[in-house]
Amino acid sequence: MKLSADLFFKRSMKTVGAPFSRGWAKARQTRKNDVAQVLILAYHRVVASIAEAERNSIYGLVISTESFARHLEIVRSSYDILSLDEALLALRGGRSLDRPAAVITFDDGYRDVYDNAWPVLRQMGLPATVYVPTALMGSGQILDHDRLYWLSLQARAAGIDLRQPLHNAGITPQQSARILSARHMAQVADALNYHPLPMRQAILRCLEAALPEAASHYPASYELMSWEMIREMADGGISFGAHSDRHLILTLEDGATSEQEIHRSKQVLEAQLRRPVWHFAYPNGYCNPLIQAMVRRAGFASAVTTKRSIAQRGDDVMTLPRISLCEESTRGITGTYSEAVAHLRLAA
Ligand SMILES: [Zn+2]
């Protein structure tokens, strides 16, 4: 099933019931009360126990269910929380906004989004979009960045020097010295993850071989959603977008691999959901004009990055900015959730 992005916008106009023409859109833009700003929020994992999650997970990816719900309350007080489809319509000039709008997104398709975030969204009656790496969903596999983080953490705890295993994987001594000198393990994992797939696989193989077998028993909390969960959420009004097939950093791969990743993620998601898929999120936010053109050619109508900014009418819908949030984003000086910091960060 391949439908063009233009058809997506025609369909969206229909569902929202708004007339659309260039002239009409232009007239709308000049309306005094039409703010045409969209804050796109990016979350990853929503967890029951933040203390436990921050012990064994990349801290920038996790937020507690309570803090997540508080974020949404604050955002709702300043913004109209719209579906991504509705927000795109506003960004393209097909709908006017009396208040700034916000969109809730999640990357990676973690199971705890189904378990913890979805009940909050349902209770508050809010729309959201989840971007999933299609090859990993329902496969029992976990994401490479989580594996790399866990293995680095185990190595540091056991006092195992990773320079030799990294050398075995083809990393130069200078590179490994730089990577391993990072202060936070999340930075180590991020640097190890930032490789084309064959190299990343070699790194994982060499790290697993250098550590005791038990180190490769990854925490259950890294689990991703099953296709049944995804379909249940989609039937319940949550929209799904593609996040490549294997969560590859597309700017590091050759053109043919990137093109295949992008096409395949759309095909697989559409087949699983039995509905068209219009939205894409670049893994780790990385893109360039070539990758953007591939995403557009594949028939996607929008793509999000991790560039920190608020989207404005007229922005390129293939490189939409987002604000990434986690528990750390709204911590005060006492180290716990701060309503004051949250208001500073989230209120318009
Ligand atoms: Zn991701």
Side-chain angles (χ1 to χ4, degrees):
M1 184 174 2
K2 187 172 179 296
L3 296 165
S4 74
D6 278 348
L7 182 58
F8 160 75
F9 284 111
K10 275 186 200 134
R11 283 194 179 176
S12 300
M13 306 296 163
K14 235 185 191 167
T15 51
V16 176
F20 184 75
S21 75
R22 271 173 199 277
W24 180 83
K26 203 161 183 204
R28 280 301 211 189
Q29 276 174 40
T30 56
R31 274 172 53 132
K32 250 193 186 146
N33 63 347
D34 187 3
V35 286
Q37 281 190 345
V38 180
L39 166 72
I40 308 176
L41 304 174
Y43 291 98
H44 286 83
R45 295 181 49 198
V46 178
V47 299
S49 164
I50 192 68
E52 188 198 321
E54 287 188 324
R55 264 199 307 277
N56 64 18
S57 308
I58 299 172
Y59 73 91
L61 303 186
V62 294
I63 186 166
S64 67
T65 310
E66 296 75 29
S67 297
F68 173 69
R70 284 156 152 178
H71 280 192
L72 298 189
E73 287 293 355
I74 295 170
V75 170
R76 191 158 68 164
S77 68
S78 302
Y79 299 84
D80 286 331
I81 300 181
L82 305 180
S83 69
L84 182 55
D85 288 352
E86 292 170 318
L88 279 169
L89 201 52
L91 288 173
R92 301 249 310 195
R95 164 191 175 142
S96 66
L97 298 175
D98 293 332
R99 295 207 307 162
V103 171
I104 304 159
T105 71
F106 299 90
D107 284 8
D108 297 347
Y110 284 101
R111 189 208 157 109
D112 52 34
V113 169
Y114 171 86
D115 286 334
N116 303 321
W118 192 34
V120 174
L121 293 166
R122 259 198 326 241
Q123 203 188 359
M124 295 174 78
L126 296 175
T129 296
V130 184
Y131 297 103
V132 296
T134 40
L136 303 180
M137 309 317 295
S139 69
Q141 295 177 74
I142 56 170
L143 284 151
D144 286 347
H145 57 241
D146 286 329
R147 291 172 69 191
L148 290 165
Y149 179 78
W150 177 253
L151 293 170
S152 311
L153 202 66
Q154 299 304 300
R156 192 164 282 191
I160 295 170
D161 188 345
L162 290 182
R163 277 175 301 182
Q164 188 57 46
L166 289 179
H167 186 67
N168 297 345
I171 292 193
T172 65
Q174 291 87 341
Q175 252 187 313
S176 63
R178 187 180 46 78
I179 292 171
L180 295 170
S181 68
R183 203 157 135 220
H184 295 291
M185 211 46 88
Q187 294 166 302
V188 174
D190 194 47
L192 293 175
N193 191 55
Y194 190 74
H195 285 98
L197 185 65
M199 183 67 165
R200 204 201 265 178
Q201 286 172 332
I203 294 170
L204 278 162
R205 261 198 317 273
C206 292
L207 292 189
E208 283 182 343
L211 287 161
E213 208 251 319
S216 307
H217 296 158
Y218 297 98
S221 59
Y222 293 174
E223 194 185 333
L224 304 177
M225 291 177 198
S226 66
W227 284 113
E228 289 70 33
M229 292 172 193
I230 292 172
R231 278 190 288 270
E232 193 187 334
M233 287 175 82
D235 290 343
I238 299 295
S239 88
F240 280 83
H243 194 35
S244 85
D245 194 38
R246 292 171 291 175
H247 205 278
L248 303 192
I249 296 175
L250 298 171
T251 50
L252 300 180
E253 302 291 340
D254 63 71
T257 305
S258 296
E259 191 110 48
Q260 199 187 11
E261 280 287 312
I262 295 163
H263 275 274
R264 192 164 162 70
S265 63
K266 192 170 196 290
Q267 274 170 1
V268 171
L269 196 48
E270 288 181 342
Q272 288 284 352
L273 293 177
R274 295 198 192 92
R275 68 190 83 184
V277 169
W278 302 111
H279 311 301
F280 190 85
Y282 304 103
N284 293 43
Y286 294 118
C287 66
N288 59 32
L290 278 177
I291 302 294
Q292 292 154 27
M294 286 179 197
V295 172
R296 193 178 281 118
R297 267 205 305 277
F300 288 102
S302 85
V304 290
T305 66
T306 48
K307 188 178 151 244
R308 258 193 106 73
S309 162
I310 295 182
Q312 313 277 340
R313 178 165 300 154
D315 279 359
D316 180 0
V317 291
M318 302 314 284
T319 54
L320 290 170
R322 287 189 296 174
I323 305 291
S324 296
L325 292 165
C326 63
E327 190 73 22
E328 192 64 26
S329 316
T330 48
R331 269 201 176 118
I333 48 169
T334 59
T336 55
Y337 176 84
S338 158
E339 197 72 14
V341 174
H343 269 276
L344 261 179
R345 299 292 302 273
L346 298 168

